[in-house]
Amino acid sequence: MSVSVARFCLDWAEMHANKDLQFVIKLSFGHFWRLRNQGVPLSHNLSAMDMIEYSYPDCRGMKYLEEEDCRFLIVLESFDCYQTSLDWQNAPVINDNHTKAHPDVLIVNIIRGTVLRGARLWILGRRAAASQIPTQYLDVVTEIQGFSDEKVDQFLTLRFCDAALSTKIIRQFKRIPTLSIIARQPFMSWMVAQVFERCYRYRGYGEHPPRLTPFYLNIMIIQTNRRLQFYHGKMDHELKWSSDEKNLVTRIGKLAFKMLERNTNVFFEEDVKECALKPTEVTVCSGMTTELPYAASGKRTYCFIHFSLQEFMAAMYVFTMFRGESKNVLDTGSHKPKIFKFKDQTKSAAGLVQCALTRTLAAPLGYYEMFLRFLCGMFSPDCHDNMLSGYLYGHKMPKMTGLDDVQRLLEQTIQAAEENQRDRVENLKECLREMIQEDE
């Protein structure tokens, strides 16, 4: 999205497009959020012009935006960085660009159109965040997807000299709709090539095609091994994970879980340190996160290379704590589901999944669905027993028990959802497919 905005601004500045616009002003919800939470005089009492002048000091005292014939665009980036609910119904109305108000109120009025009246607004953010804006304030919704499906196929076809291998990989990843959508991001297309090319080295691969969770497990393993090779000079035969690698992966998962609970995909250095991690290890060397261009605040901001990877790492952390330490980090101890007669039953495999189901079904649609799907996928023996043995767990780790109870719980939840929560049914079926690693 940032690249799209930069391209738009450059084309306008060089007068290649949108020549009818006199000004293009780019603001960030990240700036609004930081101002809202800082103890400076501007923080809880600012006007629209204060915000523009804060971001662009050269605009101080500019009167053009109030002229009726002034045509300008306000680009508001990173709506998901504004981490609180906005009161669209009850926020007081502001009718001019100089009235000061709390940032929550100011944002509502900018989007309503009562402030910066002549502006066209372009709001950017993840779908889950942007969907909270009432539809009456939206004229057009556009989803930026990166590669088209044809470009993904072209990339995978040209990447390999072996045409038969390319054909196999394209057929494989297209089986799973979620993976087909994710692959539209160029980095994920590259990862599709990396993962499937690696997997097809093994005899018999593809006869029983794996689903989504094994793909993400491979991403985690590949990126961690590349870290060992690139930063630590390890050879292919030396890629045995030490306790440092295991702790790094688990703590990155803990970071992902904390961000998921906060319903945000951005984090800062203090968040990294809270999880007993070194910022450089996470933000540079892990291969799973990237830095965001919010340099104006002076605060370095990061996110996972894809939001679905954050959801996967969060699920991996929850499962690892259960598998390795017999802890159910989803059990808050307050509202125990009625199916548990005894306290210790929440520490069973079905107890962990029940806590995840309770949390998912109580949240708005789209918040925990992929997390639940990945967590269920972890209970597949192919994932937790075969793929992670020798990496996160020793080869002599005892077999998991209670998997039949997990499958029965998912089947019962699907039956109940078909009567009461039909919008949840398909994802619950996907969770079951991930657990048994079968398409039907």
Side-chain angles (χ1 to χ4, degrees), residues 299-358:
K299 194 172 186 180
R300 303 184 73 175
T301 311
Y302 308 92
C303 70
F304 283 81
I305 51 179
H306 196 279
F307 187 63
S308 60
L309 184 61
Q310 175 180 320
E311 294 169 304
F312 166 79
M313 291 301 296
M316 191 278 303
Y317 165 71
V318 170
F319 181 83
T320 300
M321 295 303 291
F322 173 77
R323 176 83 162 127
E325 301 184 27
S326 299
K327 290 182 180 178
N328 182 348
V329 298
L330 299 178
D331 179 20
T332 60
S334 52
H335 303 290
K336 291 205 183 299
K338 294 180 180 178
I339 66 168
F340 301 131
K341 296 179 181 178
F342 306 103
K343 180 180 179 181
D344 288 344
Q345 284 185 281
T346 59
K347 295 183 180 179
S348 67
L352 180 67
V353 174
Q354 178 64 64
C355 289
L357 283 165
T358 301

Side-chain angles (χ1 to χ4, degrees), residues 247-264:
N247 287 335
L248 175 65
V249 168
T250 303
R251 288 170 182 170
I252 290 175
K254 182 178 182 180
L255 172 67
F257 181 63
K258 282 181 174 290
M259 297 304 104
L260 189 66
E261 287 194 306
R262 295 178 194 173
N263 190 30
T264 180

Side-chain angles (χ1 to χ4, degrees), residues 46-222:
L46 71 160
S47 68
M49 289 307 300
D50 288 337
M51 190 63 205
I52 292 172
E53 291 170 5
Y54 171 78
S55 300
Y56 301 98
D58 291 344
C59 293
R60 194 172 303 280
M62 187 171 70
K63 303 292 185 182
Y64 303 112
L65 301 184
E66 298 177 11
E67 296 178 2
E68 290 187 7
D69 59 348
C70 182
R71 300 176 67 84
F72 62 102
L73 171 71
I74 300 289
V75 181
L76 290 164
E77 281 197 292
S78 309
F79 189 49
D80 27 305
C81 290
Y82 206 78
Q83 301 168 33
T84 190
S85 299
L86 299 171
D87 189 349
W88 302 97
Q89 299 295 326
N90 303 311
V93 176
I94 302 174
N95 290 308
D96 66 80
N97 299 343
H98 299 280
T99 298
K100 298 181 184 293
H102 190 277
D104 293 0
V105 175
L106 184 61
I107 288 172
V108 168
N109 280 275
I110 290 174
I111 295 174
R112 282 173 177 168
T114 58
V115 173
L116 299 171
R117 288 178 179 274
R120 302 175 185 180
L121 293 183
W122 184 10
I123 300 170
L124 295 98
R126 287 191 298 112
R127 181 189 295 181
S131 62
Q132 71 168 282
I133 302 174
T135 55
Q136 65 262 35
Y137 303 131
L138 301 176
D139 296 314
V140 177
V141 176
T142 304
E143 184 174 1
I144 300 174
Q145 296 180 334
F147 279 162
S148 64
D149 292 338
E150 292 75 18
K151 285 289 185 182
V152 176
D153 292 355
Q154 183 183 13
F155 169 79
L156 294 173
T157 300
L158 296 176
R159 182 172 176 82
F160 302 105
C161 297
D162 185 346
L165 176 61
S166 297
T167 302
K168 287 179 182 178
I169 291 174
I170 291 171
R171 185 172 61 246
Q172 267 271 31
F173 92 90
K174 283 190 172 180
R175 290 172 41 252
I176 307 172
T178 301
L179 191 52
S180 297
I181 295 169
I182 289 169
R184 292 168 183 164
Q185 188 194 73
F187 173 82
M188 296 304 284
S189 284
W190 178 82
M191 192 54 77
V192 164
Q194 287 283 105
V195 168
F196 283 102
E197 190 273 336
R198 177 179 183 268
C199 291
Y200 270 109
R201 296 176 192 169
Y202 304 104
R203 181 178 298 177
Y205 183 80
E207 293 176 4
H208 181 65
R211 291 187 55 80
L212 196 62
T213 307
F215 174 77
Y216 278 82
L217 282 168
N218 272 300
I219 290 179
M220 181 186 74
I221 292 167
I222 286 173

